[in-house]
Amino acid sequence: MSFGGQTPTIVVLREGTDQSQGRGQVLSNINACLAVQSTVKGTLGPYGGDLLLVDENGRQTITNDGATVMKLLDIVHPAARILTDIARSQDAEVGDGTTSVVVIAGEILREIKEHVEQGVSSQVIIKGLRRASTMAVNKIREIAVNTAEANQRDTLLKLAATAMSSKLIHRNADFFTKMVVDAVLTLDQEDINEGLIGVKKITGGALQDSLFVNGVAFKKTFSYAGFEQQPKSFTNPKIVCLNVELELKSEKDNAEVRVEQVSEYQAIVDAEWKIIYDKMEACFKTGASVVLSKLPIGDLATQYFADRNVFCAGRLASDDMERVCLATGAKVQSTCSDIREEHLGTCAVFEERQIGGERFNFFEGCPAAQTCTLVLRGGAEQFIAEVERSLHDAIMIVKRAIKNRSIVAGGGACEMEISAYLHGYADEKVPHKQQTIIKSFAKALEVIPRQLCDNAGFDSTDILNRLRVEHRKGNRWAGVDFVGQGVANNMEKFVWEPALVKINALQAATEAACLILSVDETIKNQESQQPQGPQRGLPPGAAQRALRGRGRGMPRR
């Protein structure tokens, strides 16, 4: 129905709602994602730099770990946030390659930006990208080398060393690769739960002072008077683990007990003491030399056990208690009245030792050891925290490599081989307009070796040309040689990565690019708009402002 030949304006959305749509919106989203890419691409590779991130509370984090950067960046642009979420999924799924996902996804968007500007439909581009991604993944599976028959430990050491090559600890890679592989091989190989690898951080000392404990180690718990009289070392001790409080408690608030005479009051007091003494005697009669509890063990119990040459520790953290039970075979008891022989655990050696400025309890030589502990040393807290992040990535790589024995060469070799394959395939077998999309995808993959060269200070144009020539000759594992500043066979140089990491990174990057391209309208409610957020039709220069707190060494203003 019309009024005077004019269609009436229908207001559906609340006044003040921001609507951005069309090609300009897609380009705005691409620019925001390129801003995220430019933030993290400098951290890629063995010579990548670190980022100093300062949060709103002034807490500093120095890292080049992609997952940590994505977590700490305060991003307000909704499309850029999609990219960071998909990148973090790579960390959850594989544990490494987060930076690669962001860099590849950003470069795919950069390459197809020209097609968007020329008016090519987003759906045509998405279809082409998905086709290219499928062919790339199939090619990786085809060229991957199976290491099932090789020495497993040697393969895992080389994979862990490659994962650490871009980390802060790469100078001590030999020391830490052995530690990481030993840690993962300690776990149950059917269900490798990396959460059972305890990590304890102690400031002071050198990196080489870090320890691998084939068992459990934890910081000395809160202790009462009489603790120093307890023995601090046992051989083949019996261990009892409790979830029981061995402490005299004051009455609850507003508690009331009415008594007629003093003897009745004394009977109540005696009953309280009898209860706790019965608990302590029950623990002692088990023959246990070490008593651990999640709940407090008070001064009375501490002195009682000290007089009988028994070690006790209360207020033990739940994760430490879980790992002690796994390692020693003990079972947590919620009562002291029925502790049997099969509920006790044991280990070869229990010892309390001084590590730096802290005292630690060590349970070593455990019979059922399906857990271990890494005690990390270093000069500053931020330094040790970055070491922990580096080891986490290496542990995840080793974990995936045990379950998936296929490997490829790193240093940009895999990406260059796929790029050369896709260029040839597009020229021969894709006659229509999807050819340019596949070629753009192939060109985008070259960003990995190019960025590796840029971060190392090499001539990226020269090395990329040499890599293209080598791959056209059929040298599929030719990649960037960081030692000789040129080109080398990275499979022979033992620069290895699990094929799963490459496959997952490509799939995640393609998924991120397709998702961002499919968004051609953004509706923001007035309440959810933030004054720092990007404006409609964001130009490339202004895209950088979509990141709050970005910048190396620059605190957020």
Side-chain angles (χ1 to χ4, degrees), residues 45-258:
Y47 294 98
D50 291 345
L51 288 177
L52 171 58
L53 298 153
V54 185
D55 67 10
E56 56 193 8
N57 298 320
R59 187 169 57 242
Q60 302 124 347
T61 305
I62 301 172
T63 183
N64 71 348
D65 180 58
T68 308
V69 173
M70 289 291 103
K71 196 183 299 177
L72 294 177
L73 279 179
D74 188 7
I75 296 174
V76 295
H77 195 287
R81 224 179 276 162
I82 292 170
L83 180 61
T84 62
D85 289 343
I86 291 181
R88 283 161 69 177
S89 76
Q90 169 83 1
D91 183 58
E93 180 67 24
V94 183
D96 195 18
T98 322
T99 309
S100 300
V101 171
V102 179
V103 171
I104 293 172
E107 198 63 21
I108 291 171
L109 290 170
R110 190 193 304 276
E111 291 296 331
I112 55 89
K113 182 180 175 183
E114 182 184 350
H115 303 306
V116 176
E117 289 171 341
Q118 291 172 355
V120 179
S121 168
S122 293
Q123 294 307 315
V124 172
I125 297 173
I126 289 170
K127 192 175 178 183
L129 291 180
R130 290 195 190 282
R131 183 175 178 182
S133 172
T134 303
M135 288 191 296
V137 169
N138 291 338
K139 184 65 175 175
I140 294 175
R141 293 196 173 113
E142 179 190 322
I143 64 174
V145 176
N146 194 311
T147 60
E149 297 176 3
N151 185 323
Q152 185 192 23
R153 184 176 175 81
D154 285 350
T155 303
L156 297 179
L157 285 169
K158 291 179 175 72
L159 289 167
T162 304
M164 287 183 194
S165 67
S166 63
K167 305 297 181 185
L168 190 70
I169 55 175
H170 68 274
R171 291 183 183 83
N172 306 91
D174 291 343
F175 177 78
F176 282 109
T177 49
K178 184 177 180 298
M179 184 184 288
V180 164
V181 173
D182 287 341
V184 177
L185 292 178
T186 304
L187 305 177
D188 181 7
Q189 299 300 291
E190 293 298 319
D191 176 30
I192 303 173
N193 181 4
E194 69 279 1
L196 296 177
I197 300 175
V199 178
K200 305 298 177 185
K201 296 173 279 191
I202 308 173
T203 51
L207 271 178
Q208 287 86 349
D209 295 332
S210 300
L211 301 173
F212 168 74
V213 181
N214 188 11
V216 183
F218 54 81
K219 187 177 170 182
K220 181 176 83 75
T221 59
F222 180 84
S223 53
Y224 289 88
F227 183 84
E228 290 301 331
Q229 298 169 31
Q230 294 179 348
K232 301 295 187 291
S233 178
F234 293 103
T235 304
N236 298 318
K238 290 183 178 178
I239 301 161
V240 62
C241 296
L242 303 172
N243 189 20
V244 178
E245 195 171 46
L246 296 176
E247 187 175 31
L248 280 170
K249 299 296 289 181
S250 59
E251 292 80 9
K252 300 286 184 187
D253 292 341
N254 301 321
E256 184 178 328
V257 178
R258 297 191 180 188

Side-chain angles (χ1 to χ4, degrees), residues 61-62 201 376 380-390:
T61 305
I62 301 172
K201 296 173 279 191
L376 303 181
E381 284 184 22
Q382 284 118 335
F383 184 77
I384 301 176
E386 180 64 5
V387 171
E388 182 186 7
R389 287 189 284 267
S390 305

Side-chain angles (χ1 to χ4, degrees), residues 532-546:
Q532 301 93 334
Q535 300 300 314
R536 195 182 328 186
L538 193 71
Q544 299 290 345
R545 293 195 292 274

